[in-house]
Amino acid sequence: MYKTLVKLSLIIALLGLLSCQQTSPHKVLFVEGETQGTSYHISYTDTLQRNLKPQIDSILADFSKELSTYDSTSTISRFNRTKKGMRLRGYFATVLLESERINQLTHGAFDPTVMPLVNFWGFGTKKAAETIDTSQLAGILKLVGMDKLEIHKLPPTGVVVTKKHAGVALDFNAIAQGYTCDVLGNYLQKNGIKNFLIEVGGEMLAAGKKPGDTFWKVGIDKPEETASDDGRELQATVMLQNQAIATSGNYRKFHLVNGKKVVHTLNPKTGMPQTSDLLSVSIIAPKCITADALATACMVMGFEKAKAFIETQENTEALFIYENEGKLTTYMTKNFNGILLP
């Protein structure tokens, strides 16, 4: 959606993991790979010591065949090319219905119909142009908005989606990787695995504990444009107790258009790249699909509106990193401090 497939990453802080593997009867297993233009990493304990990478990769391949805009044969690519609409099921239907719910919840700050804007500003499959004629935005905005779609549920799990304009197109990039974590988590739990940490493109879902009876710990990057993958500094470390975390920000993914910095967070109402004092936001919620989408919505809202919004959401906490008079400042919702580690 507003984010490209290479998202901000949350650094997994599994200090002491190697010693746990050597001494615990429940060795931590680790699998990793590539998916959706990014990477995934999964740590889990299994009394049967199963290597689940083949099954996980199969699930991820099926997921991409539905929701990857970089695959011209995927369901979403075919939907974006069609002029009228389609009957949809599976992952696509689930993500679309959740996107519709969060779009309404955030009063349009989160919107999966921004694909025309994503392509216009050069964050899609095409290379970014050095110059852009912004006078075209008025016409493009006629294709953006959930009101440009008619969505009818098709029991038990499907939907029928009709386009009101042929050029309407979807991009689930700001929610799909979070949902991927949930899908993989459901798979592991159905196979009797109760303790795991899943990371896909920087979004994370944790369940149970790691050996040593401690909850999973993850780090949140300090928002720095020039930090390398190996030299990133952590802003905070948190402990996830059967929760998900997702981070969105503007400090790394951008390019120059008309000689000016253009960030990848796009405002679906104005059509413009959304810049504000808010540098990044990390959302903790029960489901990663929700945390992922809300993180993007908060970046569109800006700090003050996002802070007020998150305070109204049950079982949802946030860490905001913003610029205040030239200084990096953090703000945490009331219960976030309870999961923040020293």
Side-chain angles (χ1 to χ4, degrees):
M1 191 184 281
Y2 328 115
K3 294 180 270 190
T4 60
L5 287 174
V6 181
K7 286 186 172 181
L8 302 170
S9 68
L10 291 171
I11 301 176
I12 305 177
L14 298 175
L15 301 177
L17 180 57
L18 291 178
S19 62
C20 288
Q21 288 180 324
Q22 294 170 356
T23 60
S24 172
H26 302 295
K27 178 182 177 182
V28 175
L29 302 176
F30 182 73
V31 297
E32 63 182 341
E34 297 181 355
T35 184
Q36 302 170 45
T38 185
S39 61
Y40 76 85
H41 305 83
I42 302 174
S43 300
Y44 63 97
T45 60
D46 179 16
T47 55
L48 299 178
Q49 295 293 290
R50 289 168 291 180
N51 175 15
L52 298 176
K53 180 173 170 57
Q55 295 90 326
I56 288 170
D57 284 340
S58 178
I59 292 171
L60 293 172
D62 290 342
F63 196 95
S64 293
K65 289 302 292 183
E66 288 196 38
L67 297 177
S68 173
T69 55
Y70 287 79
D71 180 351
S72 62
T73 66
S74 69
T75 304
I76 193 169
S77 293
R78 290 188 290 109
F79 176 85
N80 288 345
R81 288 194 299 267
T82 188
K83 296 182 179 180
K84 295 183 179 180
M86 292 174 62
R87 178 176 294 187
L88 302 159
R89 296 185 184 276
Y91 299 134
F92 196 121
T94 300
V95 171
L96 181 61
L97 290 174
E98 181 66 0
S99 295
E100 182 183 37
R101 184 185 75 83
I102 297 179
N103 174 266
Q104 295 171 355
L105 183 68
T106 61
H107 303 286
F110 178 86
D111 195 317
T113 66
V114 294
M115 189 62 173
L117 290 173
V118 171
N119 288 330
F120 178 75
W121 288 105
F123 291 106
T125 56
K126 297 180 180 179
K127 184 179 179 180
E130 294 183 0
T131 59
I132 286 180
D133 181 5
T134 55
S135 66
Q136 300 176 40
L137 276 177
I140 294 173
L141 282 172
K142 293 179 180 179
L143 304 175
V144 177
M146 289 298 289
D147 60 329
K148 307 303 188 299
L149 296 173
E150 290 184 359
I151 302 172
H152 301 283
K153 291 184 179 180
L154 187 68
T157 59
V159 292
V160 174
V161 185
T162 303
K163 295 182 179 182
K164 295 183 180 179
H165 302 280
V168 175
L170 294 169
D171 183 350
F172 291 130
N173 187 44
I175 192 171
Q177 289 169 7
Y179 181 46
T180 305
C181 291
D182 294 334
V183 169
L184 294 178
N186 288 336
Y187 168 75
L188 293 179
Q189 289 175 331
K190 286 181 179 179
N191 280 274
I193 295 174
K194 300 179 180 179
N195 305 298
F196 58 78
L197 177 63
I198 299 170
E199 179 265 333
V200 180
E203 321 305 14
M204 293 186 175
L205 176 68
K209 298 180 179 180
K210 63 179 183 178
D213 199 36
T214 58
F215 289 107
W216 301 97
K217 295 183 292 185
V218 301
I220 299 173
D221 283 355
K222 186 175 182 178
E224 295 177 327
E225 291 181 5
T226 58
S228 66
D229 288 342
D230 295 330
R232 290 176 175 174
E233 184 179 349
L234 294 183
Q235 183 72 36
T237 303
V238 300
M239 181 172 59
L240 294 180
Q241 303 181 43
N242 300 307
Q243 296 165 307
I245 186 168
T247 293
S248 183
N250 279 327
Y251 54 92
R252 285 206 184 101
K253 192 60 185 180
F254 60 87
H255 53 243
L256 296 179
V257 174
N258 300 342
K260 296 182 179 180
K261 177 180 173 180
V262 171
V263 298
H264 70 274
T265 299
L266 304 176
N267 190 317
K269 297 179 180 179
T270 66
M272 296 293 293
Q274 185 66 37
T275 56
S276 71
D277 55 351
L278 185 57
L279 300 178
S280 79
V281 57
S282 296
I283 300 292
I284 291 180
K287 292 184 178 181
C288 205
I289 188 174
T290 306
D292 198 3
L294 291 184
T296 295
C298 285
M299 289 302 300
V300 172
M301 294 178 189
F303 173 58
E304 290 296 339
K305 289 183 178 179
K307 178 179 71 171
F309 167 75
I310 291 297
E311 295 284 8
T312 67
Q313 302 303 302
E314 294 184 1
N315 301 316
T316 304
E317 304 298 331
L319 171 67
F320 298 98
I321 305 175
Y322 64 102
E323 197 169 43
N324 183 17
E325 297 181 352
K327 296 182 180 180
L328 206 64
T329 308
T330 60
Y331 175 85
M332 297 178 292
T333 51
K334 60 182 180 180
N335 292 324
F336 196 97
N337 193 51
I339 54 178
L340 191 66
L341 295 174

mmCIF file of all heavy atoms in Angstrom, residues 217-244:
data_model
loop_
_atom_site.group_PDB
_atom_site.id
_atom_site.type_symbol
_atom_site.label_atom_id
_atom_site.label_comp_id
_atom_site.label_asym_id
_atom_site.label_seq_id
_atom_site.Cartn_x
_atom_site.Cartn_y
_atom_site.Cartn_z
ATOM 1 N N LYS A 217 11.792 -11.216 23.181
ATOM 2 C CA LYS A 217 12.186 -9.803 23.182
ATOM 3 C C LYS A 217 12.499 -9.350 21.757
ATOM 4 O O LYS A 217 13.154 -10.062 21.001
ATOM 5 C CB LYS A 217 13.417 -9.596 24.063
ATOM 6 C CG LYS A 217 13.177 -9.884 25.545
ATOM 7 C CD LYS A 217 14.417 -9.586 26.367
ATOM 8 C CE LYS A 217 15.543 -10.546 26.087
ATOM 9 N NZ LYS A 217 16.714 -10.324 26.964
ATOM 10 N N VAL A 218 12.045 -8.150 21.414
ATOM 11 C CA VAL A 218 12.330 -7.592 20.087
ATOM 12 C C VAL A 218 12.757 -6.139 20.242
ATOM 13 O O VAL A 218 12.401 -5.470 21.216
ATOM 14 C CB VAL A 218 11.115 -7.681 19.136
ATOM 15 C CG1 VAL A 218 10.669 -9.113 18.960
ATOM 16 C CG2 VAL A 218 9.963 -6.821 19.632
ATOM 17 N N GLY A 219 13.528 -5.668 19.285
ATOM 18 C CA GLY A 219 14.016 -4.299 19.322
ATOM 19 C C GLY A 219 13.343 -3.426 18.293
ATOM 20 O O GLY A 219 12.965 -3.888 17.213
ATOM 21 N N ILE A 220 13.199 -2.160 18.624
ATOM 22 C CA ILE A 220 12.615 -1.163 17.722
ATOM 23 C C ILE A 220 13.732 -0.227 17.278
ATOM 24 O O ILE A 220 14.436 0.361 18.111
ATOM 25 C CB ILE A 220 11.501 -0.365 18.412
ATOM 26 C CG1 ILE A 220 10.363 -1.309 18.835
ATOM 27 C CG2 ILE A 220 10.958 0.730 17.489
ATOM 28 C CD1 ILE A 220 9.285 -0.651 19.675
ATOM 29 N N ASP A 221 13.919 -0.095 15.985
ATOM 30 C CA ASP A 221 15.001 0.730 15.443
ATOM 31 C C ASP A 221 14.857 2.199 15.828
ATOM 32 O O ASP A 221 13.749 2.747 15.862
ATOM 33 C CB ASP A 221 15.010 0.664 13.913
ATOM 34 C CG ASP A 221 15.605 -0.623 13.386
ATOM 35 O OD1 ASP A 221 16.102 -1.422 14.191
ATOM 36 O OD2 ASP A 221 15.550 -0.830 12.158
ATOM 37 N N LYS A 222 15.991 2.834 16.056
ATOM 38 C CA LYS A 222 16.031 4.291 16.160
ATOM 39 C C LYS A 222 15.912 4.845 14.744
ATOM 40 O O LYS A 222 16.590 4.363 13.826
ATOM 41 C CB LYS A 222 17.349 4.737 16.785
ATOM 42 C CG LYS A 222 17.438 6.231 17.061
ATOM 43 C CD LYS A 222 18.724 6.567 17.801
ATOM 44 C CE LYS A 222 18.789 8.054 18.121
ATOM 45 N NZ LYS A 222 20.026 8.386 18.877
ATOM 46 N N PRO A 223 15.029 5.822 14.515
ATOM 47 C CA PRO A 223 14.812 6.317 13.145
ATOM 48 C C PRO A 223 15.976 7.148 12.624
ATOM 49 O O PRO A 223 16.080 8.339 12.872
ATOM 50 C CB PRO A 223 13.532 7.158 13.277
ATOM 51 C CG PRO A 223 13.508 7.577 14.708
ATOM 52 C CD PRO A 223 14.130 6.456 15.483
ATOM 53 N N GLU A 224 16.858 6.490 11.884
ATOM 54 C CA GLU A 224 18.009 7.153 11.295
ATOM 55 C C GLU A 224 18.098 6.781 9.823
ATOM 56 O O GLU A 224 18.103 5.601 9.477
ATOM 57 C CB GLU A 224 19.298 6.738 12.011
ATOM 58 C CG GLU A 224 19.360 7.185 13.465
ATOM 59 C CD GLU A 224 20.617 6.697 14.169
ATOM 60 O OE1 GLU A 224 21.091 5.593 13.821
ATOM 61 O OE2 GLU A 224 21.110 7.414 15.039
ATOM 62 N N GLU A 225 18.188 7.771 8.957
ATOM 63 C CA GLU A 225 18.211 7.539 7.519
ATOM 64 C C GLU A 225 19.465 6.796 7.078
ATOM 65 O O GLU A 225 19.427 5.977 6.175
ATOM 66 C CB GLU A 225 18.135 8.867 6.759
ATOM 67 C CG GLU A 225 16.799 9.573 6.880
ATOM 68 C CD GLU A 225 16.786 10.867 6.098
ATOM 69 O OE1 GLU A 225 17.795 11.142 5.401
ATOM 70 O OE2 GLU A 225 15.794 11.604 6.186
ATOM 71 N N THR A 226 20.588 7.081 7.725
ATOM 72 C CA THR A 226 21.872 6.583 7.232
ATOM 73 C C THR A 226 22.328 5.295 7.885
ATOM 74 O O THR A 226 23.371 4.764 7.533
ATOM 75 C CB THR A 226 22.961 7.650 7.462
ATOM 76 O OG1 THR A 226 23.021 7.968 8.867
ATOM 77 C CG2 THR A 226 22.640 8.917 6.680
ATOM 78 N N ALA A 227 21.541 4.767 8.828
ATOM 79 C CA ALA A 227 21.974 3.555 9.523
ATOM 80 C C ALA A 227 21.994 2.369 8.569
ATOM 81 O O ALA A 227 21.075 2.169 7.778
ATOM 82 C CB ALA A 227 21.053 3.263 10.701
ATOM 83 N N SER A 228 23.048 1.565 8.656
ATOM 84 C CA SER A 228 23.131 0.355 7.838
ATOM 85 C C SER A 228 22.441 -0.791 8.559
ATOM 86 O O SER A 228 22.124 -0.702 9.746
ATOM 87 C CB SER A 228 24.595 -0.001 7.587
ATOM 88 O OG SER A 228 25.220 -0.357 8.807
ATOM 89 N N ASP A 229 22.229 -1.893 7.833
ATOM 90 C CA ASP A 229 21.582 -3.048 8.446
ATOM 91 C C ASP A 229 22.394 -3.571 9.633
ATOM 92 O O ASP A 229 21.836 -4.063 10.612
ATOM 93 C CB ASP A 229 21.405 -4.167 7.411
ATOM 94 C CG ASP A 229 20.325 -3.820 6.404
ATOM 95 O OD1 ASP A 229 19.517 -2.924 6.688
ATOM 96 O OD2 ASP A 229 20.313 -4.439 5.327
ATOM 97 N N ASP A 230 23.728 -3.474 9.540
ATOM 98 C CA ASP A 230 24.578 -4.002 10.597
ATOM 99 C C ASP A 230 24.822 -2.989 11.713
ATOM 100 O O ASP A 230 25.242 -3.364 12.808
ATOM 101 C CB ASP A 230 25.928 -4.443 10.017
ATOM 102 C CG ASP A 230 25.774 -5.599 9.047
ATOM 103 O OD1 ASP A 230 24.836 -6.399 9.235
ATOM 104 O OD2 ASP A 230 26.581 -5.693 8.107
ATOM 105 N N GLY A 231 24.545 -1.706 11.431
ATOM 106 C CA GLY A 231 24.878 -0.680 12.410
ATOM 107 C C GLY A 231 23.677 0.059 12.967
ATOM 108 O O GLY A 231 23.790 1.208 13.389
ATOM 109 N N ARG A 232 22.530 -0.590 12.979
ATOM 110 C CA ARG A 232 21.334 0.070 13.470
ATOM 111 C C ARG A 232 21.330 0.159 14.988
ATOM 112 O O ARG A 232 21.679 -0.782 15.682
ATOM 113 C CB ARG A 232 20.086 -0.674 12.989
ATOM 114 C CG ARG A 232 19.849 -0.531 11.492
ATOM 115 C CD ARG A 232 18.676 -1.356 11.033
ATOM 116 N NE ARG A 232 18.390 -1.114 9.624
ATOM 117 C CZ ARG A 232 17.498 -1.787 8.927
ATOM 118 N NH1 ARG A 232 16.795 -2.741 9.492
ATOM 119 N NH2 ARG A 232 17.293 -1.505 7.654
ATOM 120 N N GLU A 233 20.898 1.299 15.475
ATOM 121 C CA GLU A 233 20.785 1.517 16.906
ATOM 122 C C GLU A 233 19.335 1.331 17.328
ATOM 123 O O GLU A 233 18.418 1.776 16.633
ATOM 124 C CB GLU A 233 21.261 2.930 17.252
ATOM 125 C CG GLU A 233 21.269 3.223 18.732
ATOM 126 C CD GLU A 233 21.779 4.616 19.037
ATOM 127 O OE1 GLU A 233 22.317 5.273 18.114
ATOM 128 O OE2 GLU A 233 21.632 5.064 20.199
ATOM 129 N N LEU A 234 19.138 0.701 18.474
ATOM 130 C CA LEU A 234 17.784 0.473 18.957
ATOM 131 C C LEU A 234 17.269 1.662 19.750
ATOM 132 O O LEU A 234 17.975 2.219 20.583
ATOM 133 C CB LEU A 234 17.733 -0.779 19.830
ATOM 134 C CG LEU A 234 18.019 -2.116 19.140
ATOM 135 C CD1 LEU A 234 17.848 -3.248 20.142
ATOM 136 C CD2 LEU A 234 17.131 -2.311 17.939
ATOM 137 N N GLN A 235 16.037 2.030 19.483
ATOM 138 C CA GLN A 235 15.352 3.049 20.264
ATOM 139 C C GLN A 235 14.784 2.446 21.541
ATOM 140 O O GLN A 235 14.757 3.087 22.591
ATOM 141 C CB GLN A 235 14.216 3.680 19.445
ATOM 142 C CG GLN A 235 13.489 4.815 20.148
ATOM 143 C CD GLN A 235 14.340 6.059 20.240
ATOM 144 O OE1 GLN A 235 15.109 6.353 19.325
ATOM 145 N NE2 GLN A 235 14.223 6.797 21.343
ATOM 146 N N ALA A 236 14.314 1.207 21.439
ATOM 147 C CA ALA A 236 13.709 0.543 22.600
ATOM 148 C C ALA A 236 13.703 -0.961 22.377
ATOM 149 O O ALA A 236 13.792 -1.447 21.247
ATOM 150 C CB ALA A 236 12.289 1.044 22.812
ATOM 151 N N THR A 237 13.603 -1.688 23.470
ATOM 152 C CA THR A 237 13.436 -3.143 23.431
ATOM 153 C C THR A 237 12.183 -3.494 24.217
ATOM 154 O O THR A 237 11.986 -2.995 25.324
ATOM 155 C CB THR A 237 14.648 -3.864 24.042
ATOM 156 O OG1 THR A 237 15.830 -3.465 23.344
ATOM 157 C CG2 THR A 237 14.499 -5.373 23.927
ATOM 158 N N VAL A 238 11.332 -4.325 23.630
ATOM 159 C CA VAL A 238 10.067 -4.657 24.272
ATOM 160 C C VAL A 238 9.940 -6.172 24.427
ATOM 161 O O VAL A 238 10.612 -6.945 23.748
ATOM 162 C CB VAL A 238 8.861 -4.112 23.470
ATOM 163 C CG1 VAL A 238 8.923 -2.606 23.349
ATOM 164 C CG2 VAL A 238 8.801 -4.742 22.080
ATOM 165 N N MET A 239 9.046 -6.563 25.324
ATOM 166 C CA MET A 239 8.788 -7.968 25.594
ATOM 167 C C MET A 239 7.372 -8.284 25.140
ATOM 168 O O MET A 239 6.407 -7.682 25.635
ATOM 169 C CB MET A 239 8.943 -8.242 27.097
ATOM 170 C CG MET A 239 8.716 -9.673 27.512
ATOM 171 S SD MET A 239 9.167 -9.902 29.255
ATOM 172 C CE MET A 239 8.059 -8.724 30.057
ATOM 173 N N LEU A 240 7.232 -9.193 24.198
ATOM 174 C CA LEU A 240 5.927 -9.524 23.645
ATOM 175 C C LEU A 240 5.322 -10.718 24.374
ATOM 176 O O LEU A 240 5.931 -11.784 24.448
ATOM 177 C CB LEU A 240 6.045 -9.847 22.155
ATOM 178 C CG LEU A 240 6.468 -8.702 21.237
ATOM 179 C CD1 LEU A 240 6.529 -9.181 19.793
ATOM 180 C CD2 LEU A 240 5.535 -7.507 21.364
ATOM 181 N N GLN A 241 4.142 -10.527 24.901
ATOM 182 C CA GLN A 241 3.438 -11.586 25.617
ATOM 183 C C GLN A 241 2.191 -11.982 24.821
ATOM 184 O O GLN A 241 1.125 -11.427 25.019
ATOM 185 C CB GLN A 241 3.064 -11.106 27.023
ATOM 186 C CG GLN A 241 4.259 -10.647 27.838
ATOM 187 C CD GLN A 241 3.885 -10.194 29.225
ATOM 188 O OE1 GLN A 241 3.078 -10.825 29.908
ATOM 189 N NE2 GLN A 241 4.465 -9.094 29.667
ATOM 190 N N ASN A 242 2.383 -12.909 23.878
ATOM 191 C CA ASN A 242 1.290 -13.339 22.998
ATOM 192 C C ASN A 242 0.687 -12.138 22.277
ATOM 193 O O ASN A 242 -0.528 -11.941 22.263
ATOM 194 C CB ASN A 242 0.228 -14.088 23.801
ATOM 195 C CG ASN A 242 0.796 -15.316 24.481
ATOM 196 O OD1 ASN A 242 1.419 -16.156 23.842
ATOM 197 N ND2 ASN A 242 0.613 -15.420 25.784
ATOM 198 N N GLN A 243 1.571 -11.362 21.655
ATOM 199 C CA GLN A 243 1.170 -10.129 20.980
ATOM 200 C C GLN A 243 1.905 -9.996 19.651
ATOM 201 O O GLN A 243 2.847 -10.721 19.362
ATOM 202 C CB GLN A 243 1.508 -8.915 21.862
ATOM 203 C CG GLN A 243 0.759 -8.851 23.177
ATOM 204 C CD GLN A 243 1.397 -7.864 24.132
ATOM 205 O OE1 GLN A 243 2.598 -7.925 24.403
ATOM 206 N NE2 GLN A 243 0.595 -6.948 24.642
ATOM 207 N N ALA A 244 1.438 -9.016 18.881
ATOM 208 C CA ALA A 244 2.086 -8.678 17.620
ATOM 209 C C ALA A 244 2.596 -7.249 17.693
ATOM 210 O O ALA A 244 2.070 -6.426 18.451
ATOM 211 C CB ALA A 244 1.099 -8.819 16.460
#
